[in-house]
């Protein structure tokens, strides 16, 4: 039996968790069984350089997702693709329609990565996505919480959904976390006091504003500095909040970092302040780096990754006072308890090892490819 061609479709190989997940799956995919093809819109993504050399990489000549259906369908035909894999709702919609319009035997698998919905408009849109998802060969959710959201808001059958956690490249983390910092970054860690770190796009979902307020509240208790990795539209608003709180010089925006692990591994604490997550790749990466985590108990990933607080600390979404208290508790742990939690976290991270998780994806691909195409 020849190799099966798997086409991975994403908006761009940018700085987000979805792109990192695809990168880990593509690079760890069994080359004796599968041949990966990556297709993106016409953008330059920060993870492109990390793709293995044997990956066929195609960029569509458009930056508009809505114009990519027939272009993608054409590639499916020309490249003799056996299966299309995609993630993120709008991308999943295009991938599913393109697979259908290719008029081939190609199958498709869609992955849902977040707990979406809330307003009437959003919930109505999710019903539409659910209708399209029913056309796919298989739906994958990256946590049990996301699966429940797919059932309740997308109106999908539980039987059509498989839960597969995000793959974390532990081997890569073990190498990159020891990389040296440049002088200006290294100085932050040499100022004395504790270093708190967060990473994520500067958008409302990540709610760095609550973290900054919690950081302000703990100033009298713990000498500390805060590092924020990531870029986004709310940077100016967050900078104004920092200045108004008198925290200038204590909070450091370092932008997107291709190697966040060298910062995470050196930090005393990683904090996630999100309003909602599907899984939270960065929490798994943090415990794998040997760093203790404080996270909001948002729907739905953090509590699953940390097993209800067994491997880290959880606090209420948007509650800066409780977050501040949990940060202080984490930073003042007696050394034996601290080391015990770090060791347990590293063991927990093994559950998400890319080599293990990608085998689960391969099993799904094999199962889907063995079935007759749904029409």
């Amino acid at each position: 039996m020849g190799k099966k061609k798997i086409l991975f479709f994403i908006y761009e190989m940018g700085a987000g968790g979805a792109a990192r997940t695809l990168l880990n799956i593509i690079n760890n995919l069994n080359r004796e069984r599968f041949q990966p093809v990556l297709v993106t819109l016409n953008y330059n993504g920060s993870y492109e350089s990390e793709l293995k050399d044997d990956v066929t990489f195609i960029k569509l000549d458009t930056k508009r997702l809505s114009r990519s259906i027939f272009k993608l369908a054409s590639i499916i035909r020309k490249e003799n693709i056996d299966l299309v894999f995609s993630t993120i709702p709008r991308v999943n919609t295009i991938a599913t329609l393109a697979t259908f319009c290719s008029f081939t035997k190609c199958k498709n698998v869609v992955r849902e990565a977040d707990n979406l919905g809330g307003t009437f408009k959003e919930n109505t849109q999710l019903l539409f996505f659910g209708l399209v998802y029913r056309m796919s060969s298989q739906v994958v959710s990256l946590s049990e919480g996301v699966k429940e959201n797919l059932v309740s808001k997308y109106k999908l059958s539980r039987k059509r959904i498989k839960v597969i956690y995000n793959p974390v490249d532990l081997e890569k983390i073990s190498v990159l976390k020891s990389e040296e910092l440049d002088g200006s970054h290294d100085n932050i860690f040499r100022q004395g006091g504790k270093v708190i770190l967060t990473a994520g796009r500067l958008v409302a979902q990540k709610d760095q504003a609550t973290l900054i307020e919690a950081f302000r509240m703990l100033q009298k208790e713990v000498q500390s500095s805060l590092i924020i990795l990531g870029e986004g539209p709310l940077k100016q608003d967050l900078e104004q909040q920092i200045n108004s709180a008198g925290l200038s010089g204590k909070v450091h925006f370092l932008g997107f970092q291709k190697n966040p692990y060298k910062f995470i591994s050196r930090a005393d604490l990683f904090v996630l302040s999100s309003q909602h997550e599907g899984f939270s790749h960065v929490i798994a990466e943090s415990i794998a780096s040997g760093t203790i985590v404080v996270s909001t108990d948002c729907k739905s990933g953090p509590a699953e990754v940390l097993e209800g607080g067994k491997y880290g600390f959880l606090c209420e979404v948007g509650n800066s006072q409780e977050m501040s208290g949990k940060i202080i508790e984490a930073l003042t742990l007696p050394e034996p308890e601290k080391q015990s939690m770090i060791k347990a976290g590293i063991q927990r991270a093994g559950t998400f090892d890319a080599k293990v998780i990608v085998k689960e994806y391969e099993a799904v691909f094999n199962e889907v490819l063995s079935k007759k195409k749904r029409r």
Side-chain angles (χ1 to χ4, degrees):
M1 186 181 294
K3 292 182 183 180
K4 297 297 182 180
K5 276 192 171 182
I6 310 293
L7 186 154
F8 295 85
F9 182 52
I10 191 171
Y11 192 82
E12 64 172 312
M13 285 301 284
R20 196 154 72 250
T21 293
L22 254 62
L23 177 71
N24 287 339
I25 296 173
I26 291 169
N27 281 349
N28 288 280
L29 203 63
N30 184 349
R31 297 304 198 265
E32 294 182 4
R33 171 67 174 151
F34 303 104
Q35 181 179 343
V37 176
L38 173 64
V39 178
T40 71
L41 301 186
N42 194 19
Y43 290 98
N44 294 321
S46 52
Y47 290 130
E48 290 177 12
S49 62
E50 298 183 42
L51 288 163
K52 286 189 174 179
D53 293 338
D54 65 349
V55 178
T56 301
F57 185 18
I58 302 169
K59 287 189 182 182
L60 303 180
D61 60 351
T62 180
K63 291 186 175 181
R64 296 187 63 177
L65 196 57
S66 59
R67 293 182 179 177
S68 64
I69 294 176
F70 296 107
K71 297 176 187 292
L72 185 59
S74 176
I75 291 173
I76 292 170
R77 289 192 297 272
K78 289 179 181 178
E79 295 289 331
N80 295 314
I81 300 299
D82 295 291
L83 187 146
V84 174
F85 179 83
S86 60
T87 185
I88 306 172
R90 288 180 177 81
V91 177
N92 288 339
T93 299
I94 298 301
T96 302
L97 294 176
T99 303
F100 185 84
C101 293
S102 71
F103 300 108
T104 67
K105 294 181 179 180
C106 183
K107 315 284 184 63
N108 79 299
V109 175
V110 298
R111 170 183 175 269
E112 186 53 75
D114 201 354
N115 274 282
L116 302 176
T119 67
F120 176 79
K121 180 180 178 181
E122 290 169 340
N123 288 340
T124 301
Q125 191 175 48
L126 296 187
L127 288 173
F128 167 73
F129 289 144
L131 289 173
V132 177
Y133 283 16
R134 289 188 187 96
M135 297 170 59
S136 69
S137 308
Q138 178 67 58
V139 179
V140 172
S141 85
L142 84 170
S143 69
E144 293 292 342
V146 170
K147 179 177 180 177
E148 292 306 312
N149 200 54
L150 283 165
V151 172
S152 64
K153 293 180 179 173
Y154 294 65
K155 304 305 179 186
L156 294 178
S157 167
R158 292 179 189 276
K159 295 179 180 179
R160 295 213 59 219
I161 306 168
K162 290 186 181 293
V163 176
I164 304 179
Y165 288 131
N166 267 353
V168 177
D169 196 333
L170 300 184
E171 188 175 321
K172 178 180 174 182
I173 290 173
S174 69
V175 174
L176 292 180
K177 71 179 186 178
S178 300
E179 186 178 289
E180 290 187 9
L181 300 174
D182 64 37
S184 60
H185 295 158
D186 191 46
N187 286 338
I188 299 172
F189 290 88
R190 293 181 180 276
Q191 289 176 352
K194 303 292 187 179
V195 177
I196 302 165
L197 185 139
T198 191
R201 291 200 68 226
L202 309 182
V203 293
Q205 178 205 341
K206 302 299 182 180
D207 195 15
Q208 288 94 352
T210 292
L211 171 55
I212 292 169
E213 174 58 17
F215 180 68
R216 183 195 67 78
M217 299 171 85
L218 62 82
Q219 290 305 296
K220 293 181 180 179
E221 301 289 334
V222 181
Q223 181 186 354
S224 58
S225 57
L226 172 63
I227 294 175
I228 300 176
L229 304 183
E231 299 170 345
L234 294 184
K235 183 177 180 180
Q236 187 174 354
D237 292 344
L238 296 172
E239 287 177 330
Q240 289 177 353
Q241 179 187 357
I242 289 163
N243 292 333
S244 298
L247 296 173
S248 299
K250 293 186 177 182
V251 182
H252 309 272
F253 288 93
L254 302 188
F256 169 74
Q257 294 290 330
K258 192 172 181 179
N259 177 7
Y261 314 115
K262 62 183 178 181
F263 296 93
I264 294 172
S265 64
R266 288 172 169 84
D268 295 287
L269 184 69
F270 182 90
V271 181
L272 186 82
S273 49
S274 294
Q275 295 178 352
H276 60 87
E277 290 284 346
F279 173 80
S280 187
H281 205 117
V282 73
I283 288 182
E285 291 175 328
S286 294
I287 60 175
S289 300
T291 302
I292 292 175
V293 170
V294 169
S295 173
T296 50
D297 189 11
C298 62
K299 292 184 177 180
S300 59
E304 285 189 48
V305 177
L306 299 176
E307 282 200 4
K310 183 178 179 180
Y311 300 103
F313 297 85
L314 295 168
C315 61
E316 185 181 8
V317 174
N319 189 331
S320 56
Q321 186 170 357
E322 185 179 5
M323 181 179 289
S324 179
K326 292 294 183 181
I327 291 173
I328 292 170
E329 184 179 353
L331 291 176
T332 57
L333 276 176
E335 191 63 24
E337 291 183 33
K338 174 184 172 182
Q339 292 304 320
S340 177
M341 181 170 282
I342 289 172
K343 182 179 179 181
I346 292 172
Q347 291 177 339
R348 171 62 174 164
T351 307
F352 314 116
D353 188 354
K355 289 181 172 60
V356 175
I357 298 298
V358 170
K359 282 184 170 57
E360 294 183 30
Y361 272 106
E362 289 174 351
V364 168
F365 296 160
N366 284 326
E367 183 179 346
V368 169
L369 289 167
S370 68
K371 295 179 180 178
K372 291 183 179 181
K373 184 168 181 179
R374 295 166 54 125
R375 280 293 185 184

